[in-house]
Amino acid sequence: MRLSLALGLLLTGLAVLAAGLSFLWTPGDVTQLAIADKLLPPSGEHWLGTDQLGRDMLSMIMVGARTSIAVALVAVGIGMGLGVPLGLIAAAFQRSWLDEIIMRGNDLIFAFPSLVIAILITAAFGPSAVNAIIAIGIFNIPVFARITRGSALPIWTLDYIRAARVAGKGAARISLQHILPNIANILIVQGTIQFSLGILAEAGLSYVGLGAQPPTPSWGRMLAEAQTMISLAPHVAIVPGLAIVLTVLGLNLLGDGLRDALDPRLRGSR
Amino acid sequence: MQRYLLHRLIVLGLSLAVASVAIFMVVELVPGDPASYMLGTGAQPETVAALRQQMGLDQPVALRYAHWIGAALTGDLGQSFTYKTPVAALILDRLQVSLPLALMALMLSVAIALPIGMFAAARNGRAGDTLVMGAAQIGISLPNFWFAMLLVLLFAVRLRWLPAGGFPGWGNPLAALKSLILPAVALALPQAAILARVLRSALVETLGQDYIRTARAKGLSRGQALRLHALRNALIPVVTILGMQFSFLLAGAIIIENVFYLPGLGRLIFQAITQRDLIVVQGAVLVLVAAVILVTFLVDLAYAAIDPRLRLK
Amino acid sequence: MIETFDLGVTLGQTMLLNRVNLRLAPGRITALVGESGSGKSLTGLALIGLLPPGMRTQGRIELDGEDILPLPERELCRIRGKRIAMVFQEPMTALNPLMTIGDQVAEALLLHQGLPRDQALERARERLDRVGLPASRFPLTLYPHQLSGGQRQRVAIALAITERPELLIADEPTTALDVTTQKQILDLLAGLVRDEGMSLLLITHDLAVVAGLADEVAVMQRGTIVESAPASQIFHNPRHAYTRELLKAAKHQPRLVLTRPDAAPLLQVEQVSRSYPAVRPDSGPGEQRLLAVDHVSLTIQEHESVGLVGESGCGKSTLTRAILGLDPIQGGQIRLAGQQVHAGWRMPDALRARMQVVFQDPFGSFDPRWRVEKLVAEPFYLTGRPKNWRDRVAEALFDVGITGDVMRRYAHEFSGGQRQRIALARALIIRPSLIILDEAVSALDVRVRAQVLELLARLRVKHGLSYLFISHDLSVVRQVTDRVLIMRQGKIVESGPTARVLDNPDHPYTRQLLAATPRLPQEIGLLSVENLSDGL
């Protein structure tokens, strides 16, 4: 399964590179409209063609990658930053009222798919990329809390944890010194998976207008705008979709590859 | 068993209660006053005050929540100010599209995932497994709304086999079903890919258990051990995922309905957001979330049906 | 009649089994004895054709003269269960948790012989009766989780013998069970061989288990059989050096070190009780509590070694956790050197530093991501880490016989015996007065166990340590303790000097335990007990 790691790194690297490069250089100017050049098919001048406003699609994809990656990354950061500590606490005080509250709270958030959270936030404050981040981020918290608690619990029963307690260490110290390093692999793998789900979610939210707003280019909104043009110029709809698929696929392959590379015991699971 | 059921029921009730509070509070947080928004900018202050009183907006929050949830329990979710009809009737009407769509997608997802997952698990590590799971990996990476657009391009625009969108109503059941096929496929395929992967890994893990070795030692073939012993044991994680998928399908349906211009709950919510018809948003989200919580409860019951350790203790 | 001729198993280039020749005759019990990794379980799996994928076989396995190795999988399925059956080590996981025991026993009959369901269940009933699970208490509709480990192993045996196979392979069938249950299961197997005329291949790591039971014994080392002979010859006149070594290790006894009479009490456990909420939720109104430790009192003097013996579930682990201050107690008090032990996170460090622990599992005892130097130094958290902590770690490691360049290595790079030594080094590093040895040698092979026991005796003399030695195994306790306590259902039923309790028990339960404990024949002449002449 070395192949999936290599392929995953390649595709993910490509997306990150495109986003990074877009800060310095893009083939065309995405703020410049050229209605005369609208809906051109891919050619030597415009490698991926132009959109309904005559903008260079490759440039749009590159700039859109920024939005996708930024939203997903921050959302995963929120989920990890809050979910992992909550999961560690729940595991350390297993079956206490603290554990019960944290886990029931998780179940509750789970009942609100990120799209529903986004709908609620948008209903209250209007649409924006920040709302998309918050919506996806909130939904990520219980994901990380659950997986952290679930992987920490079996470790808490091991003898080396008891040995650490006999050595006088408290719950916080044990969680940081023994538990966290031993579940880091699992969290990294889950992180890449949530990252890919975040990109999908951002695309979906932007597609229905609950995410990034104009003029910020976004893959999801490019698709929404392309929808009516799909029979005239299929490339306008196919190109952003492929960008999403390849990035998400890359992250999923990376997750699989990392799982195998980091821990042979996890091989074959999930 | 009774205790388990009771515990689950309490969790169900609590979740519904807390979720409803959360939904109510979010709409409360909306900056601006619904009454003045409804009446427009040129309204007289007296008229606004009268409407506020009529809508009960001058009462304390807790009381208004009590009113709202009390009415909701009797099936009254308030009056939509854009449609001028009861929200409950509106939602009920739209559910006639959304619910069949989600159920079709769920059944399709299981129908696709079951054979694929079993096939891959039986060929664990061999070429067939790698091939099928590679395909599943791509399926997981598909944004369903984009996949839906491709389906429309192929089956509606090019081949003209199925309608590109719209819903003729259940008066014509065949046409209604036809218009739900593409949306259901678009929703189901990515979920089927996830389900197949979960099923495969659950089966692979179960096949490594001691009792499978026991079954093999008493003369069962690999296939018999998989069908008669591993499958049911692997069902528990699969049912968990299936329950979660229902909520993804409901949420996904909101987006897919936009691709196909289906008059479902999702379209209703988006129209309501753009028109700032918050009572509709509140009611629709409440119904969605209640459905998800109810499915979680059903999943817990399914665990008990599968696993005697839960049933008997 | 099943015979193997030069049976071999390879994985890639590695030879896992080499020239194994066994002759398993009807009505005979053959014991296959070896340490972990010797290839004894692999032999069993090869016989029944269930080797893990990737392994290849050589040689022949003849079932009534017909070589079954080249047979296709479909034919093998008809042999498995019907002519060759197998029982595995771990009864807790060997049965399908979602299927009734009746269906599991009847399944082979339904599939192999096409019996109608009611007839198959009738046969299953008869087989369950035969293994000692009568219909009155064990209806066919029970699920595995409603049975104890021993009962589950009986179901596994019933399931293996439904079709009256010619050969039953039992792979460590009693290793996971208590001694009294072990005795019952072994008697059951012997009875089956006698009544049904099948042949039994009993795979075990414990020579004592097969003494008095096996007709033939084959001793296995590194994938080959080094000695195979009638049981009496193996026990009384072993030829091969390795067999002698095994026997010697099993009988090995470090000399007892007696306590000085003026010693002060170090650990005082007074009327300690610990209860849990009952596991069964529907056991009636009101909160039911399970009394795991029931008003237990015990004292350990300085420099004294005390054994605590009981079967699983007797409360010894619960008591251990309470003494270590890991779990709260509901009644009584625990004093260490006169100071009260408080459960939970708030116990004073200086008090904690007086007692350390070594656990059973050499694999779970160490954080896999920490290096040896950090692992051994962990208890310094209690005392503050001295500047020369690395020297202290090296010293402690030297003390337990771990030498060489090991400080920067990880725990998984060591064998089970070495890990238990490292665990001892970790316990010794802050020079505690009391070390609690929680089944500390139970997971080790006999030869390694003998070495670790000897090390324990030596360390105790050198550092003047007290031990609380917790074990399920009476024979081990005899070797390292001055006094012994017998625990049953949360209570101490008997206590006294080890030799007195073991040779002349008062309590019926102690007698029952002693009777069930497997023992090697006494009249082996080759042993000379090693002396530890440097007394206290």
Side-chain angles (χ1 to χ4, degrees), chain C residues 9 79 137 185 203 277 324 371 385 406 421 472:
Chain C
V9 170
I79 291 173
R137 283 177 55 218
I185 296 287
I203 298 171
L324 283 168
R371 295 178 197 277
R385 199 160 72 176
V406 296
R421 287 169 188 269
H472 67 282

Side-chain angles (χ1 to χ4, degrees), chain A residues 98-188:
Chain A
L98 208 57
D99 180 25
E100 190 70 14
I101 287 179
I102 291 173
M103 292 327 285
R104 289 289 84 78
N106 274 331
D107 289 349
L108 194 73
I109 297 179
F110 246 61
F112 291 80
S114 54
L115 189 68
V116 174
I117 300 176
I119 287 170
L120 282 173
I121 295 178
T122 310
F125 305 109
S128 74
V130 175
N131 289 348
I133 290 177
I134 294 173
I136 302 168
I138 290 178
F139 191 69
N140 270 332
I141 296 172
V143 173
F144 282 103
R146 274 190 191 188
I147 196 155
T148 301
R149 180 179 181 272
S151 2
L153 281 184
I155 296 180
W156 269 100
T157 66
L158 293 178
D159 283 342
Y160 66 82
I161 298 299
R162 273 193 240 159
R165 290 185 63 188
V166 172
K169 290 185 174 168
R173 200 171 293 271
I174 290 175
S175 291
L176 290 178
Q177 291 186 345
H178 289 291
I179 308 282
L180 196 56
N182 277 291
I183 61 171
N185 287 346
I186 299 170
L187 294 178
I188 290 169

Side-chain angles (χ1 to χ4, degrees), chain A residues 3-216:
Chain A
L3 183 70
S4 74
L5 188 65
L7 206 59
L9 274 173
L10 181 78
L11 290 172
T12 314
L14 217 58
V16 174
L17 196 73
L21 190 62
S22 75
F23 285 104
L24 304 171
W25 172 84
T26 51
D29 187 348
V30 295
T31 55
Q32 197 74 42
L33 309 187
I35 305 297
D37 292 340
K38 70 172 183 185
L39 300 179
L40 292 180
S43 66
E45 191 183 348
H46 299 286
W47 287 5
L48 299 177
T50 60
D51 70 357
Q52 69 283 357
L53 299 175
R55 291 172 296 188
D56 178 53
M57 289 285 285
L58 179 59
S59 311
M60 292 287 286
I61 293 291
M62 284 169 70
V63 180
R66 274 193 237 165
T67 317
S68 286
I69 290 174
V71 169
L73 206 61
V74 178
V76 171
I78 292 174
M80 265 194 174
L82 291 172
V84 171
L86 284 174
L88 285 176
I89 292 171
F93 302 102
Q94 189 197 353
R95 283 191 213 146
S96 70
W97 56 270
L98 208 57
D99 180 25
E100 190 70 14
I101 287 179
I102 291 173
M103 292 327 285
R104 289 289 84 78
N106 274 331
D107 289 349
L108 194 73
I109 297 179
F110 246 61
F112 291 80
S114 54
L115 189 68
V116 174
I117 300 176
I119 287 170
L120 282 173
I121 295 178
T122 310
F125 305 109
S128 74
V130 175
N131 289 348
I133 290 177
I134 294 173
I136 302 168
I138 290 178
F139 191 69
N140 270 332
I141 296 172
V143 173
F144 282 103
R146 274 190 191 188
I147 196 155
T148 301
R149 180 179 181 272
S151 2
L153 281 184
I155 296 180
W156 269 100
T157 66
L158 293 178
D159 283 342
Y160 66 82
I161 298 299
R162 273 193 240 159
R165 290 185 63 188
V166 172
K169 290 185 174 168
R173 200 171 293 271
I174 290 175
S175 291
L176 290 178
Q177 291 186 345
H178 289 291
I179 308 282
L180 196 56
N182 277 291
I183 61 171
N185 287 346
I186 299 170
L187 294 178
I188 290 169
V189 170
Q190 191 66 34
T192 61
I193 291 165
Q194 292 309 118
F195 194 179
S196 77
L197 289 177
I199 286 182
L200 276 179
E202 189 274 336
L205 290 177
S206 296
Y207 171 76
V208 290
L210 298 182
Q213 297 298 302
T216 316

Side-chain angles (χ1 to χ4, degrees), chain C residues 37-56:
Chain C
S38 61
K40 55 192 195 301
S41 294
L42 216 53
T43 308
L45 290 174
L47 278 169
I48 200 166
L50 287 177
L51 285 172
M55 292 192 185
R56 294 179 183 283

Side-chain angles (χ1 to χ4, degrees), chain B residues 33-36 38-39 43-59:
Chain B
D33 182 16
S36 47
M38 280 168 75
L39 292 170
Q44 298 293 314
E46 303 87 69
T47 336
V48 175
L51 186 64
R52 279 181 60 88
Q53 200 177 5
Q54 191 198 329
M55 291 171 76
L57 290 174
D58 51 349
Q59 289 172 328

Side-chain angles (χ1 to χ4, degrees), chain C residues 370-373 390 405-410 413-414:
Chain C
W370 282 25
R371 295 178 197 277
V372 165
E373 55 180 10
R390 279 208 170 79
D405 187 18
V406 296
M407 301 282 274
R408 305 284 297 161
R409 286 162 73 186
Y410 293 99
E413 299 172 49
F414 297 89

Side-chain angles (χ1 to χ4, degrees), chain B residues 210 214 217-218 229 233 309 311, chain C residues 81 93-94 96 104 107 145:
Chain B
D210 283 357
T214 306
K218 66 183 171 186
H229 290 271
N233 277 287
R309 285 165 293 188
R311 199 157 64 224
Chain C
T93 53
N96 185 343
Q104 293 193 57
E107 187 175 38
H145 72 270

Side-chain angles (χ1 to χ4, degrees), chain C residues 96-109:
Chain C
N96 185 343
L98 306 185
M99 214 168 162
T100 64
I101 59 171
D103 283 338
Q104 293 193 57
V105 177
E107 187 175 38
L109 296 169

